[in-house]
Amino acid sequence: MLTLREKYYDFDQISSKVFKCRRDDQFFTMKIVSILNEENQANNGVPYWIIREISILKELDHINIVRLIDVMTDGPDLFLVFEYLDNEFQADFLKNPKMFMYPQMKKEFLYQILNTVAYLHARKILLRDLRPENILVNVRTQVLKIALFGAARTFEAPLEAYSSSVGCLSYRSPEVLFQFGCEKYSTPNDVWAVGCIFGEMLLHRPLFSGPSDVELLDEIFTLLGTPTEETWPGVTSICGTCALMGPPQQPKDLAKEFPMLNPDGLDLLSKMLCLCPNYRISAEDAVKHPYFKGV
Amino acid sequence: MAHNSDSATSNLLLLCSENSSTCFDDDGLECDAADGSNSRISHHEGGGGSELLLACFVAQSEEAVRAMVEREKEHLPRDDYLMRLRSGGLDLDLLGVRKEALDWIWKAHSYLGFGPLSFCLAVNYLDRFLSVFELPRGVSWTVQLLAVACLSIAAKMEEIKVPQSVDLQVGELKFLFEARTIQKMELLVLSTLRWKMCAITPCSFIDYFLVHLVWLNGEFGVVLEFLGNILNESLLRMNKMGI
């Protein structure tokens, strides 16, 4: 087996643990992860989450996912070799002003996100934490890449922006918010997050931004109406907080809230932002929605 | 089984949690904190990704199963492995080595109360490793160390509660390895198997066939569970016998 330095060369440091490197004519981004941890690593070998995450990343091969190409070991350090994304790729894609100049491009990127989510769901993988910060786009080629497993930092996403958004709730679905910390994620939660990103693309500001669970739920219900037993069977039994939120609210007319969106787009948005997770559209069906005709 | 059903979806393999993201962060401090808490919380509440086994029992589409059959090829021992096991010949006593390792894995697995999938994974890792890596001859402790490493990785992939790696060494063992040694062996196994640890095992196909069997019978639920148990049991026996 070749050693790290035999296989890769021309190391160029990007941040303390991230390097750009080269093999033959190709560039890669290398991330160093130490498996040592004072607390438990001396007793417990390679941490379980590192084994799980790497082995799952190794199975994924999708144009819209930042690809893990190689894993090298050297002592207690792991070197994760990722596909290299050049400077044209910018993280936190909604902050890119060019995004909003071409409506067609938004649709194209939304499609790529949904397509990736459908790919992951078919493999029983949940994103759980899909946020615009983890999405990189190349506006010129119109290629979008989702950085899984915290790899966003690998691509020079600004440190502050990343850290401050770790506690960000904006993209969490009502069913997850209802559980207050007891996180029970499932596939509809990811679709909700894409719905929020869709809304954010259109409004040029986060669709929901409540600083706390309760405020966020209130914002969601203000737009989409308070759920009832008819719209979300069983909601009264899980919704201990509904009572805290004052009188029930009627859903707003999405066509007025999103005047820029055509009827197909409105239909898709409302299906992705369906309060009841069981009735929410799946990523697989969303990709086939008429809104994407011609993409 | 509907994709929307709560039980089905909640069993999906959970990835890319906030904790997982931070564990890959550059910042050393943040990394340590995340590591520690992640390990504790997830191991006790099963929040990390421990649902792999259960994920195995969600209905699969024909397309997904076809992809699995395709993917299975990447998780098999090298082609000449079976021949080498049978012939013995110039090789070190490969069959004996396998039997010795399997014997311990089986006993330890059952003593530790692990689920069937971690057993299948451990055996998969063992066979794949033996098929490509030449163990030094006449050094009997390497076989035992390999068995411990395979079971340890399998448990970490699959189990909700995993004992410290030194505590995996149960039963009558000639050697007792330090955590550091086990870690080194884990790394050797991981890199030799190119970190492809989400192996497709017979378990992966059980629910597909179950769903089809059950549809034939027009029954659901109870039958499914019953058949699942039987199949799991027989699978374990088969593996134990080295079939």
Side-chain angles (χ1 to χ4, degrees):
Chain A
M1 248 182 273
L2 288 173
T3 64
L4 180 72
R5 300 235 168 229
E6 283 166 348
K7 208 166 172 185
Y8 298 95
Y9 45 91
D10 286 358
F11 286 85
D12 191 1
Q13 188 155 15
I14 292 171
S15 70
S16 67
K17 297 201 169 170
V18 181
F19 293 82
K20 179 180 165 187
C21 62
R22 202 153 76 96
R23 186 181 184 200
D24 302 329
D25 282 337
Q26 254 192 308
F27 287 111
F28 299 96
T29 303
M30 185 175 281
K31 179 148 193 156
I32 306 174
V33 180
S34 176
I35 57 169
L36 285 183
N37 172 290
E38 291 155 25
E39 198 178 329
N40 81 63
Q41 284 331 301
N43 315 323
N44 219 10
V46 184
Y48 79 99
W49 63 90
I50 291 186
I51 300 179
R52 286 180 185 179
E53 291 187 3
I54 294 180
S55 50
I56 282 153
L57 257 187
K58 287 282 277 187
E59 298 298 330
L60 301 179
D61 182 12
H62 193 277
I63 180 151
N64 299 120
I65 296 173
V66 180
R67 208 151 67 88
L68 175 66
I69 288 157
D70 195 5
V71 182
M72 308 283 292
T73 50
D74 185 12
D77 287 326
L78 296 179
F79 298 83
L80 308 187
V81 182
F82 287 96
E83 122 186 55
Y84 177 74
L85 299 184
D86 60 31
N87 295 336
E88 280 199 83
F89 275 95
Q90 296 190 337
D92 208 352
F93 83 122
L94 288 179
K95 297 230 165 72
N96 189 332
K98 285 186 195 149
M99 269 300 298
F100 301 109
M101 285 155 60
Y102 312 102
Q104 190 60 26
M105 188 151 72
K106 293 181 197 172
K107 195 193 267 193
E108 173 64 42
F109 285 143
L110 180 67
Y111 180 79
Q112 291 186 30
I113 296 172
L114 277 171
N115 205 13
T116 317
V117 172
Y119 169 87
L120 292 170
H121 287 178
R123 279 152 189 79
K124 306 195 173 75
I125 297 169
L126 298 182
L127 275 153
R128 296 219 294 186
D129 194 24
L130 183 63
R131 287 178 275 136
E133 289 91 328
N134 297 343
I135 301 177
L136 301 98
V137 294
N138 182 332
V139 173
R140 186 179 59 81
T141 54
Q142 300 209 358
V143 173
L144 171 147
K145 301 260 182 192
I146 300 180
L148 300 176
F149 308 93
R153 284 276 288 280
T154 311
F155 305 103
E156 303 172 76
L159 191 70
E160 292 76 7
Y162 193 84
S163 315
S164 67
S165 57
V166 163
C168 171
L169 301 168
S170 303
Y171 307 94
R172 292 214 178 140
S173 59
E175 68 271 21
V176 168
L177 290 168
F178 274 143
Q179 324 252 333
F180 289 119
C182 160
E183 295 161 351
K184 191 180 163 198
Y185 289 90
S186 59
T187 52
N189 179 60
D190 286 344
V191 175
W192 176 273
V194 185
C196 293
I197 292 175
F198 188 12
E200 188 167 342
M201 278 176 170
L202 300 165
L203 298 176
H204 303 189
R205 60 169 170 79
L207 186 55
F208 307 115
S209 54
S212 73
D213 292 10
V214 176
E215 284 158 292
L216 192 57
L217 278 172
D218 187 45
E219 261 184 75
I220 293 173
F221 296 160
T222 304
L223 180 67
L224 302 162
T226 309
T228 61
E229 276 297 317
E230 282 95 66
T231 58
W232 185 344
V235 69
T236 41
S237 64
I238 59 163
C239 173
T241 44
C242 288
L244 300 173
M245 296 189 182
Q249 307 183 68
Q250 289 302 311
K252 285 191 180 160
D253 182 4
L254 287 184
K256 285 198 185 119
E257 301 296 316
F258 299 92
M260 65 302 265
L261 206 53
N262 65 24
D264 277 341
L266 285 170
D267 183 65
L268 176 62
L269 182 67
S270 66
K271 283 176 173 160
M272 289 168 75
L273 293 179
C274 171
L275 290 173
C276 173
N278 289 346
Y279 297 155
R280 203 171 298 148
I281 192 168
S282 70
E284 194 190 353
D285 289 340
V287 169
K288 296 177 196 149
H289 193 276
Y291 178 60
F292 294 117
K293 217 181 285 166
V295 171
Chain B
M1 271 188 272
H3 257 288
N4 291 337
S5 113
D6 232 27
S7 63
T9 42
S10 65
N11 291 337
L12 295 173
L13 179 56
L14 304 178
L15 291 172
C16 207
S17 64
E18 295 88 324
N19 281 347
S20 332
S21 323
T22 44
C23 98
F24 275 73
D25 277 347
D26 294 333
D27 187 306
L29 263 176
E30 202 179 315
C31 179
D32 287 346
D35 284 0
S37 57
N38 193 340
S39 135
R40 275 197 302 276
I41 293 167
S42 295
H43 268 203
H44 292 107
E45 299 175 2
S50 46
E51 284 85 344
L52 194 62
L53 171 65
L54 295 165
C56 180
F57 289 94
V58 179
Q60 288 140 336
S61 67
E62 296 289 329
E63 195 190 340
V65 171
R66 215 170 299 131
M68 271 179 6
V69 173
E70 208 43 50
R71 221 156 59 75
E72 190 186 20
K73 292 177 193 156
E74 296 170 23
H75 304 119
L76 292 177
R78 208 165 68 185
D79 289 348
D80 59 353
Y81 182 58
L82 191 61
M83 203 185 68
R84 281 171 56 212
L85 273 181
R86 280 186 181 140
S87 66
L90 294 170
D91 266 314
L92 84 163
D93 179 14
L94 199 55
L95 195 62
V97 164
R98 183 180 191 269
K99 192 176 175 309
E100 188 189 330
L102 208 56
D103 210 43
W104 178 82
I105 290 178
W106 169 251
K107 283 180 190 148
H109 170 274
S110 135
Y111 179 86
L112 295 162
F114 291 159
L117 189 51
S118 49
F119 179 74
C120 289
L121 287 177
V123 177
N124 176 283
Y125 302 157
L126 174 74
D127 281 330
R128 282 162 65 201
F129 186 85
L130 286 175
S131 79
V132 293
F133 195 94
E134 199 131 336
L135 285 179
R137 284 158 196 250
V139 192
S140 60
W141 58 264
T142 52
V143 181
Q144 194 195 306
L145 181 58
L146 172 62
V148 173
C150 287
L151 185 62
S152 170
I153 298 170
K156 284 174 185 173
M157 281 296 287
E158 188 42 45
E159 297 296 328
I160 294 173
K161 286 185 183 171
V162 184
Q164 303 266 301
S165 55
V166 281
D167 299 332
L168 283 175
Q169 303 177 90
V170 294
E172 294 160 24
L173 288 171
K174 275 183 256 167
F175 311 94
L176 216 53
F177 301 105
E178 284 182 23
R180 218 162 278 279
T181 316
I182 298 174
Q183 173 170 305
K184 269 190 188 160
M185 192 66 195
E186 281 180 347
L187 281 172
L188 180 64
V189 173
L190 288 165
S191 53
T192 306
L193 304 186
R194 293 177 298 129
W195 291 83
K196 291 181 109 38
M197 314 317 282
C198 294
I200 302 280
T201 70
C203 284
S204 324
F205 296 96
I206 288 181
D207 61 320
Y208 172 76
F209 288 108
L210 275 181
V211 168
H212 283 254
L213 281 174
V214 169
W215 279 124
L216 284 176
N217 281 340
E219 291 271 340
F220 216 69
V222 186
V223 187
L224 184 87
E225 201 176 307
F226 178 68
L227 281 173
N229 288 340
I230 293 179
L231 277 171
N232 266 334
E233 281 293 312
S234 50
L235 190 77
L236 279 179
R237 285 204 198 106
M238 265 159 51
N239 266 315
K240 189 187 171 193
M241 292 185 289
I243 296 171

